[in-house]
Amino acid sequence: MAKDSTPPRNENRSAPISEAFRAFIQTGWAQPAPVSARPWPVSRNAAGRRDEISGQFPGVTLIVPAGSPKQRSNDTDYPFRPHSAFTYLTGWGHSATPGSILIAIATATGHEWELVMRGPAPRTSDEFYANAAIGEFWTGRRPTLEDVGTWLALNTREREDFELPALTGPWAIIREADPVLTAECDAVRGFTSPPALDADVERVASEMRLIKDDYEVSELRAAIASTHAGFNDIVEVLPRSIGHARGERIVEGAFHSRARLEGNSVGYDSIVASGSHACILHWVTNDGPISPGDLLLVDAGVERDSLYTADITRTIPVSGTFTPHQREVYEAVLEAADVAFAMVKPGVSFHEIHDTAMAVIATRVSDWGFLPVSLTKSLKKTSQLHRRFMIHGTSHHLGLDVHDCAHARKERYLQGTLAAGMVFTIEPGLYFQPDDETVPAEWRGIGVRIEDNILVTATGAENLSAAIPRSVAAVEDWMAG
Ligand code: GLY
Ligand code: MN
Ligand code: MN
């Protein structure tokens, strides 16, 4: 197997190395200071998760890659982020060494887990100073196998010493984590199409994440607290964004700054949508002006170093108060969110949240006279005309990924039942496109979404983001400083 999946780099900028320079640069370095030699608390949670998945796949060797950096352009990469299944099963978040692989080797009694990774390039190697992908001159200090073994309470092995063909018996890989390694696995296994076992492992790793443990809930709470701080920053910079040709970027930058300060980054590209941009559901260009009288829709979340992310939307009136039309739309969306939240408790079906929110949306647009059919007819599965004004879903699971548990079966997700420990969004909206001739001119270009992050408790639910102003009065007070 390839020793790492780093794309080949151009040679046209590398200078020749003299023997004298090599001898000089490889010597004279102090011993690195020791790092913390205690296991991280999350290592216990991760060990429990490994036991659980091990129990589901007796006799099957499991390969969970962290993945490799993704090329952005030429010899620059996107910031590395390990695959969420890897982080879930190891507890290793933003600082994970690229190219690491968690492996469960099937034994007669269960699995032996080990983490395969590259340690730092030795200071006596050319890589130490000449390899931008792994040399500490370029990347800063990298943990040793011993450091990582202690933090994560896992056996570690040098990547160079690991060979896929040495594995025996059935084995499976989380395919999307590392396409290069997956292709090698398929070649070694002699597969030309993805085996069902790979999909099974991916599904189980996803479904396990449907119920969050206490550590995960506390990370999500912290992500939401940082996101709240980021939204406060937005309100603070808003006055100087008004009138600027790219005012949305000022707002995006303020939130991003908070995300980098308190977390790893943003958990997804922030949507900063002023005026009719709010009707573009995934408006991430964020290069428009912010004008007095507009509504500003911001959908943004801080991702922690643990990689848990918030996913919050607030829609605020740029001038500080809602116009009557804006307020009417806002209150309809808020009502949809509140009615949906009120029904959340264990045992309720996931899709009922959406149906409940949509019933409010449909009722309001019908009351306003925007439907060419009766409300009753629009609510029928065969009609659904009101969806013209809210085309997206109301909820998705939230955790390590903003759209978490992506490989869970429909029976466990959309057609599943709520259980204590689930965390998901409630995010109804109403969007009147600027060119929609079916609504009166004064409604066109208004877009509102309110998105909160909800924890299912033993008896009901907690809105984890309730402290970020939501009601008309609370938002207007917030804007008034
Ligand atoms: N920010 C993406 C979403 O709300 O699903
Ligand atoms: Mn969302
Ligand atoms: Mn969102």
Side-chain angles (χ1 to χ4, degrees):
M1 71 191 281
K3 296 306 177 201
D4 70 44
S5 319
T6 313
R9 306 293 166 166
N10 294 337
E11 295 291 322
N12 58 2
R13 289 188 294 120
S14 45
I17 295 165
S18 74
E19 278 311 315
F21 174 76
R22 175 174 282 130
F24 184 54
I25 198 162
Q26 290 184 354
T27 55
W29 305 107
Q31 273 299 106
V35 296
S36 151
R38 273 206 298 271
W40 293 342
V42 68
S43 64
R44 280 195 296 277
N45 305 61
R49 298 166 191 162
R50 291 194 295 274
D51 285 347
E52 193 178 331
I53 200 166
S54 165
Q56 302 241 8
F57 293 98
V60 180
T61 288
L62 308 173
I63 300 183
V64 186
S68 297
K70 293 180 178 62
Q71 185 180 19
R72 183 176 187 274
S73 168
N74 184 23
D75 60 356
T76 56
D77 295 328
Y78 290 104
F80 176 68
R81 184 194 190 278
H83 190 270
S84 297
F86 175 88
T87 296
Y88 186 67
L89 294 170
T90 59
W92 206 3
H94 81 300
S95 65
T97 299
S100 301
I101 314 168
L102 176 70
I103 300 185
I105 298 169
T107 65
T109 52
H111 287 93
E112 267 171 25
W113 290 89
E114 66 178 25
L115 187 84
V116 175
M117 61 173 282
R118 285 197 79 144
R123 295 190 167 209
T124 48
S125 69
D126 287 347
E127 286 182 322
F128 161 53
Y129 58 90
N131 184 327
I134 60 162
E136 289 188 337
F137 250 81
W138 302 84
T139 65
R141 179 131 183 228
R142 289 167 74 103
T144 64
L145 272 67
E146 228 182 358
D147 295 333
V148 176
T150 305
W151 296 337
L152 306 180
L154 271 165
N155 291 326
T156 51
R157 193 193 318 188
E158 184 57 58
R159 180 131 187 211
E160 302 228 331
D161 301 337
F162 173 72
E163 295 290 343
L164 280 177
L167 299 175
T168 55
W171 45 284
I173 181 168
I174 299 277
R175 300 185 69 83
E176 67 179 13
D178 191 329
V180 174
L181 184 65
T182 300
E184 287 174 26
C185 284
D186 286 351
V188 172
R189 294 183 294 181
F191 290 136
T192 49
S193 59
L197 200 50
D198 287 357
D200 284 347
V201 174
E202 197 148 54
R203 171 181 60 74
V204 169
S206 230
E207 289 182 353
M208 283 169 65
R209 284 159 49 192
L210 285 164
I211 308 285
K212 270 63 185 176
D213 64 25
D214 289 350
Y215 162 82
E216 295 181 285
V217 172
S218 76
E219 283 300 307
L220 285 163
R221 284 186 196 281
I224 292 162
S226 292
T227 299
H228 189 170
F231 272 91
N232 287 340
D233 295 341
I234 287 171
V235 169
E236 204 175 307
V237 299
L238 197 54
R240 66 181 175 82
S241 73
I242 297 171
H244 192 287
R246 302 223 281 185
E248 291 173 348
R249 289 283 170 95
I250 295 177
V251 169
E252 180 187 3
F255 189 86
H256 194 260
S257 203
R258 179 64 63 174
R260 290 290 285 165
L261 189 68
E262 295 194 11
N264 179 45
S265 190
V266 288
Y268 52 92
D269 288 341
S270 303
I271 296 168
V272 180
S274 190
S276 63
H277 283 161
C279 302
I280 304 170
L281 297 177
H282 282 174
W283 173 255
V284 291
T285 316
N286 303 343
D287 64 353
I290 296 177
S291 308
D294 276 356
L295 286 180
L296 174 68
L297 181 157
V298 181
D299 182 340
V302 174
E303 176 187 83
R304 301 263 297 159
D305 288 351
S306 62
L307 305 183
Y308 287 85
T309 187
D311 178 12
I312 307 288
T313 307
R314 289 294 182 263
T315 308
I316 58 180
V318 171
S319 301
T321 51
F322 292 89
T323 66
H325 277 310
Q326 291 169 347
R327 186 184 172 125
E328 206 168 346
V329 177
Y330 189 92
E331 291 200 312
V333 174
L334 189 65
E335 183 191 348
D338 289 347
V339 170
F341 173 71
M343 62 172 302
V344 176
K345 62 178 180 192
V348 167
S349 11
F350 189 80
H351 74 81
E352 273 184 62
I353 306 166
H354 176 66
D355 296 346
T356 305
M358 281 315 271
V360 174
I361 296 294
T363 305
R364 290 291 156 262
V365 293
S366 175
D367 290 348
W368 293 325
F370 298 163
L371 294 179
V373 297
S374 70
L375 173 62
T376 317
K377 178 140 194 223
S378 190
L379 285 171
K380 286 195 193 318
K381 287 273 172 282
T382 49
S383 172
Q384 300 280 304
L385 300 193
H386 52 273
R387 291 190 60 214
R388 181 184 181 102
F389 307 108
M390 179 185 152
I391 195 70
H392 60 76
T394 305
S395 298
H396 57 80
H397 284 270
L398 180 71
L400 281 169
D401 290 324
V402 61
H403 297 157
D404 213 34
C405 314
H407 298 282
R409 284 163 298 174
K410 214 169 188 172
E411 306 88 275
R412 296 286 311 278
Y413 201 125
L414 202 57
Q415 294 164 357
T417 303
L418 303 188
M422 287 182 171
V423 177
F424 53 80
T425 64
I426 292 185
E427 50 177 308
L430 267 171
Y431 314 88
F432 300 106
Q433 301 295 330
D435 56 350
D436 188 341
E437 294 183 341
T438 71
V439 299
E442 61 274 24
W443 293 73
R444 295 178 202 161
I446 296 180
V448 172
R449 180 164 64 254
I450 302 169
E451 177 172 25
D452 285 286
N453 300 161
I454 311 300
L455 168 69
V456 184
T457 62
T459 53
E462 179 185 347
N463 180 352
L464 301 174
S465 47
I468 308 176
R470 315 171 63 246
S471 70
V472 165
V475 169
E476 289 184 350
D477 281 355
W478 194 26
M479 303 295 296

